Amino acid sequence: MISLALNGIEIDWGKNRYWSGHHWLFPPGSITEIEYLYAGGISERKPGFQTTLNESYFRLCHLGYSQQETKTKFEAAVARWNRTADLRLSFEDFRSVLAGVDFASLTSKDLEPYVWDFRGFLLNLLSPWDREYASLEDFIRGLDVALTLRVLAERVENRSLPLRWHHQDLVDSGWVSLDDLTDIDRPTYIVNHTVLYGRLQDYAGATRVGAFDNWLANRHLARATYYTEIRPDSTLAVKKTTLPTAVRNMIHHPENPHNLLSDDNLRDSVELLLGLVKLLSTPLPGLA
């Protein structure tokens, strides 16, 4: 088993080869010794990912799940569902119901009537929308867990609670390696990097990429990444830029064969940009 738990309540789980990756919700260095609970009251300490919901909330807001992006994704999911169903659940209703869940007081005993399945608990909360032809149960079981987590973070009191991803049993049993668990979703990371880089560039008031690279360098991002540019006369120019600018250029110029965008560079660049956002004197607008 592999499970994502908020304050000890499992909100997503998988088994063997059927699981969803959640490592991107956790900042680098989040693996530590955490408690694993088993049948019969057995408890063991093993490696697992751990952070606070507040830290994951920050990452969600800046990596595709701002309030508006979350609303848009939820409404798109409902619209797709309603090609063959009739679900009348608005995002506002979904958010209102989930924001009312106090995870600080929620216990596994509260989930016992639902066979300890949070999705069953959630289905009960949303029962007023479980009308004929809605197929609400199947919709909830297939809903992006990040949407649920982002909406749970709307309740400020929930944000200080621990979020843990219990992964070690899956590794020990040989189904995956840690590298498998921490692989990035490359298309999603490319989109998130592009948007985050652009938002920071707007924040800096830098209309040109070179000016924004200066802004990044002035905030102690090293100009240590080589980028080969193709000039209009087809000659090549090798430049040293910050990693985020080099990654931005590689994303924007996939026709240029002289650079290789690795997953590691893409991942590291996103983390550098997130680190800068945390140091801003005012937050990026519209994301919280």
Side-chain angles (χ1 to χ4, degrees):
M1 297 288 292
I2 180 170
S3 64
L4 182 72
L6 177 59
N7 202 35
I9 302 296
E10 292 183 356
I11 60 175
D12 187 51
W13 60 273
K15 187 176 181 181
N16 300 345
R17 297 198 184 276
Y18 300 96
W19 49 273
S20 298
H22 298 305
H23 84 276
W24 66 277
L25 294 168
F26 298 82
S30 292
I31 296 182
T32 185
E33 292 287 309
I34 63 175
E35 185 179 39
Y36 286 65
L37 297 176
Y38 301 98
I42 296 173
S43 171
E44 295 183 21
R45 304 283 297 179
K46 297 181 182 181
F49 291 78
Q50 177 173 280
T51 188
T52 62
L53 179 57
N54 192 55
E55 181 63 42
S56 290
Y57 170 72
F58 169 80
R59 296 176 71 83
L60 284 159
C61 287
H62 292 85
L63 297 177
Y65 291 86
S66 67
Q67 187 173 104
Q68 184 57 51
E69 289 166 326
T70 300
K71 182 177 187 290
T72 298
K73 288 178 178 179
F74 181 86
E75 291 176 344
V78 172
R80 286 193 299 270
W81 193 255
N82 282 341
R83 293 171 184 168
T84 56
D86 186 24
L87 177 59
R88 305 293 180 88
L89 179 62
S90 71
F91 176 71
E92 288 72 21
D93 289 332
F94 181 73
R95 181 174 61 187
S96 177
V97 169
L98 264 70
V101 180
D102 179 11
F103 262 80
S105 61
L106 196 65
T107 68
S108 59
K109 188 174 181 180
D110 296 319
L111 270 67
E112 188 173 354
Y114 313 101
V115 198
W116 296 279
D117 188 345
F118 179 73
R119 289 167 297 192
F121 173 77
L122 181 56
L123 186 64
N124 180 64
L125 295 178
L126 296 171
S127 59
W129 292 270
D130 193 12
R131 300 170 181 171
E132 189 176 13
Y133 305 120
S135 301
L136 180 63
E137 180 177 0
D138 290 337
F139 175 79
I140 292 300
R141 293 192 181 282
L143 188 64
D144 178 3
V145 173
L147 290 174
T148 299
L149 192 65
R150 173 62 177 80
V151 175
L152 288 171
E154 290 286 298
R155 187 183 182 99
V156 176
E157 295 83 356
N158 286 337
R159 294 183 195 169
S160 63
L161 301 176
L163 184 72
R164 300 183 181 99
W165 195 27
H166 300 81
H167 74 280
Q168 192 60 36
D169 287 339
L170 204 65
V171 174
D172 290 343
S173 60
W175 288 100
V176 298
S177 69
L178 185 58
D179 286 340
D180 295 324
L181 291 170
T182 56
D183 272 344
I184 68 170
D185 181 339
R186 187 177 176 93
T188 299
Y189 260 71
I190 286 174
V191 170
N192 287 339
H193 188 283
T194 301
V195 174
L196 188 53
Y197 188 97
R199 283 172 172 158
L200 266 171
Q201 186 175 353
D202 288 344
Y203 180 95
T207 57
R208 302 179 70 86
V209 172
F212 183 54
D213 195 59
N214 289 335
W215 187 88
L216 294 173
N218 288 336
R219 280 149 184 81
H220 309 294
L221 265 66
R223 279 197 174 108
T225 305
Y226 290 99
Y227 178 77
T228 302
E229 181 183 90
I230 303 177
R231 293 174 171 149
D233 63 359
S234 298
T235 59
L236 303 179
V238 179
K239 297 182 176 181
K240 258 188 176 183
T241 70
T242 64
L243 178 60
T245 294
V247 169
R248 177 265 177 207
N249 290 341
M250 286 183 245
I251 291 171
H252 280 252
H253 296 286
E255 78 286 355
N256 184 340
H258 301 287
N259 305 282
L260 176 64
L261 177 56
S262 69
D263 285 356
D264 285 342
N265 281 346
L266 185 54
R267 184 206 317 267
D268 292 345
S269 186
V270 165
E271 295 301 334
L272 285 174
L273 293 176
L274 288 174
L276 276 182
V277 171
K278 284 189 172 183
L279 298 176
L280 298 179
S281 56
T282 57
L284 291 178
L287 298 187

